[in-house]
């Protein structure tokens, strides 16, 4: 039976399970994220919060790219693109308005340095910067504020996230951390 002869349901759509011409890229490891792994059990600071917990680990293991006096920069464990960074205050705070002036200033400075380091390491042609404050706004970890710094390139948003809810990542997180830590040192002179 050819595709033209294949029976369809009333609206002309193919029956469930019929070939649709799409290839599938299966990434079952994403189920860990979808299942809520690394999500805090509550809104309290401490080892239940991944952003509080990573501050107690060594930078390489925690994927921390840089530390400031009041903030740190870490790779996103579930990145939108290679080099997707998070700028976080050390202090467990959920609301941007609760940041001190010093924390706000350092988050801004760390974001600027993150952009410089990403340009040095990856040569992106644009960036998405943003905070999702509160679960209703899309924050995966709402109790500990964090700003996303996402490098962008032409064609980086392809059909995979839309059709297959999957992202193809060309670099391991540990390799990205090594590359970005070196770039951070290069742009800060340290």
């Amino acid at each position: 039976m050819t595709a033209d002869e294949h029976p369809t349901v009333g609206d002309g759509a193919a029956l469930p399970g019929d070939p649709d011409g799409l290839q599938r890229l299966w990434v079952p490891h994403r189920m860990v994220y979808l299942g809520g792994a690394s999500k805090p059990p509550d809104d309290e600071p401490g080892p239940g919060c991944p952003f509080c917990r990573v501050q107690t680990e060594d930078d390489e293991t925690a994927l921390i790219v840089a530390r400031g006096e009041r903030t740190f920069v870490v790779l996103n464990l579930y990145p939108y693109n290679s080099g997707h960074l998070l700028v976080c205050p050390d202090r467990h705070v959920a609301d941007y308005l609760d940041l001190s002036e010093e924390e706000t200033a350092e988050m801004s400075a760390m974001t600027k340095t993150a952009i410089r380091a990403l340009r040095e390491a990856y040569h992106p042609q644009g960036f998405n910067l943003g905070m999702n404050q509160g679960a209703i706004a899309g924050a995966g970890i709402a109790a500990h504020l964090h700003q996303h710094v996402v490098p962008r390139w032409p064609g980086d948003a392809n059909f995979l996230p839309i059709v297959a809810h999957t992202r193809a990542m060309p670099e391991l997180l540990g390799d990205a951390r090594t590359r970005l830590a070196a770039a951070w040192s290069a742009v800060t002179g340290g």
Side-chain angles (χ1 to χ4, degrees):
M1 176 179 295
T2 69
D4 293 336
E5 298 170 326
H6 202 283
T8 59
V9 292
D11 64 0
L15 295 171
D18 285 346
D20 57 10
L22 297 176
Q23 293 183 352
R24 303 296 193 267
L25 176 62
W26 301 104
V27 287
H29 65 277
R30 292 286 293 168
M31 286 306 295
V32 173
Y33 174 72
L34 297 175
S38 298
K39 298 266 179 143
D42 53 40
D43 290 342
E44 299 302 313
C49 171
F51 296 135
C52 290
R53 183 177 55 249
V54 298
Q55 294 178 68
T56 66
E57 299 174 1
D58 69 274
D59 290 357
E60 190 172 336
T61 301
L63 300 173
I64 292 176
V65 172
R67 294 180 190 255
E69 291 181 30
R70 297 172 180 86
T71 63
F72 64 98
V73 177
V74 64
L75 279 165
N76 190 333
L77 288 179
Y78 306 101
Y80 297 133
N81 272 339
S82 291
H84 180 167
L85 295 173
L86 303 172
V87 181
C88 306
D90 292 343
R91 192 166 59 96
H92 186 88
V93 58
D95 194 314
Y96 186 78
L97 298 177
D98 291 338
L99 292 173
S100 69
E101 293 301 319
E102 295 82 10
E103 288 168 323
T104 303
E106 189 171 299
M107 281 191 72
S108 178
M110 293 289 261
T111 299
K112 288 173 82 171
T113 305
I115 291 169
R116 288 183 186 104
L118 285 162
R119 283 184 174 152
E120 173 79 16
Y122 291 99
H123 310 288
Q125 295 175 331
F127 293 91
N128 289 120
L129 305 174
M131 290 183 200
N132 301 325
Q133 188 171 307
I136 195 69
I141 300 171
H144 198 131
L145 191 69
H146 53 283
Q147 176 164 287
H148 296 259
V149 182
V150 183
R152 301 299 306 270
W153 297 269
D156 66 6
N158 58 34
F159 70 91
L160 283 174
I162 297 162
V163 174
H165 302 285
T166 301
R167 272 221 197 262
M169 303 304 294
E171 184 176 44
L172 296 173
L173 290 175
D175 295 343
R177 188 245 164 231
T178 299
R179 177 190 289 213
L180 283 165
W184 195 281
S185 291
V187 300
T188 61

